[in-house]
Amino acid sequence: MSPREQLCEYGRRAVDLGLVIGTSGNLSVREGDLVAVTPSGVALDRLTPEMCPVVDVAGHLVEGDLQPSSETPMHLAVYGTTDARAIVHTHSVFGTVVATTMTELPPVHYNALMLGGVVKVAEYATYGTPELAANVRAALEGKRAALMANHGGVTIGGTLEEAFELTRLLEWLCEVYVRGLGVGKPTVLTDEQLAAVVDRALNPPEFPRL
Ligand SMILES: [Zn+2]
């Protein structure tokens, strides 16, 4: 699949899974110095490859008739400082709940390690602005995910598939935490417990052969 075809495919999935509504949310894929991004003002399940603009890393429109997503400056800022090859941004419900009520998502499940442990909430700034781009870039340092205060969430990956799966994971972790708060006081994993998980993943036990 070409990058623009991938945007259509994962755009549809994002809508199907309820991660975005209306024309919210945006995705991008980087290939070399070019970035294919979803257009502004089109629902993610109504995209065709030709609708998806291609910009260069400096933000010039290279291909396409529609305007790139208003959050393109944030995507380009993240590409400028990470090894990301794809970015997914949504306004998913539980991610946005955490982003409007907390300053970080604590690791209550070891799968949080796939996002870099604690997920930080980037300071609020108006959508589409360089300030928001800078805040998100800072919150993402050393991580694969960040939340955006009073706005939503963002994940990065080596492929769009990976970034998309991390968005699903981020939403799941936020849901577990928020639902946990409704039941009691969720226990946060300690640094030691998380280090033990990393150690276990790096040194899996082998099953002896009969
Ligand atoms: Zn947004």
Side-chain angles (χ1 to χ4, degrees), residues 119-170:
V119 178
K120 291 183 185 163
V121 179
E123 218 176 295
Y124 181 81
T126 309
Y127 83 93
T129 57
E131 290 76 24
L132 180 60
N135 295 350
V136 169
R137 200 169 54 180
L140 267 174
E141 212 177 312
K143 315 263 181 192
R144 310 305 274 173
L147 292 161
M148 298 149 74
N150 301 80
H151 187 156
V154 57
T155 58
I156 64 177
T159 62
L160 188 54
E161 182 182 12
E162 188 192 345
F164 188 80
E165 282 308 310
L166 292 181
T167 278
R168 293 186 61 201
L169 174 62
L170 174 63

Side-chain angles (χ1 to χ4, degrees), residues 5-202:
E5 286 169 339
Q6 291 176 41
L7 296 177
C8 301
E9 169 70 22
Y10 285 95
R12 241 185 335 265
R13 290 196 203 182
V15 173
D16 286 350
L17 292 170
L19 294 167
V20 295
I21 57 161
T23 59
S24 72
N26 35 75
L27 322 171
S28 70
V29 176
R30 177 179 184 175
E31 221 174 49
D33 283 340
L34 296 178
V35 176
V37 62
T38 51
S40 180
V42 183
L44 292 183
D45 59 347
R46 307 238 169 114
L47 298 174
T48 61
E50 308 73 49
M51 281 178 168
C52 298
V54 177
V55 297
D56 66 14
V57 284
H60 304 106
L61 185 58
V62 175
E63 230 178 302
D65 297 324
L66 298 177
Q67 281 298 301
S69 160
S70 53
E71 224 56 90
T72 301
M74 185 263 283
H75 288 242
L76 296 178
V78 172
Y79 285 127
T81 49
T82 67
D83 60 353
R85 285 296 173 270
I87 298 173
V88 174
H89 162 59
T90 75
H91 299 172
S92 61
V93 175
F94 286 94
T96 307
V97 168
V98 173
T100 53
T101 54
M102 301 167 205
T103 56
E104 63 177 38
L105 175 71
V108 293
H109 189 285
Y110 70 88
N111 278 353
L113 284 170
M114 293 169 74
L115 303 177
V118 172
V119 178
K120 291 183 185 163
V121 179
E123 218 176 295
Y124 181 81
T126 309
Y127 83 93
T129 57
E131 290 76 24
L132 180 60
N135 295 350
V136 169
R137 200 169 54 180
L140 267 174
E141 212 177 312
K143 315 263 181 192
R144 310 305 274 173
L147 292 161
M148 298 149 74
N150 301 80
H151 187 156
V154 57
T155 58
I156 64 177
T159 62
L160 188 54
E161 182 182 12
E162 188 192 345
F164 188 80
E165 282 308 310
L166 292 181
T167 278
R168 293 186 61 201
L169 174 62
L170 174 63
E171 178 64 0
W172 181 81
L173 288 166
C174 287
E175 180 167 359
V176 167
Y177 188 60
V178 169
R179 288 187 185 274
L181 285 170
V183 176
K185 191 172 182 295
T187 307
V188 177
L189 294 171
T190 63
D191 289 345
E192 210 171 45
Q193 287 170 324
L194 291 170
V197 171
V198 174
D199 185 57
R200 181 77 175 180
L202 293 175

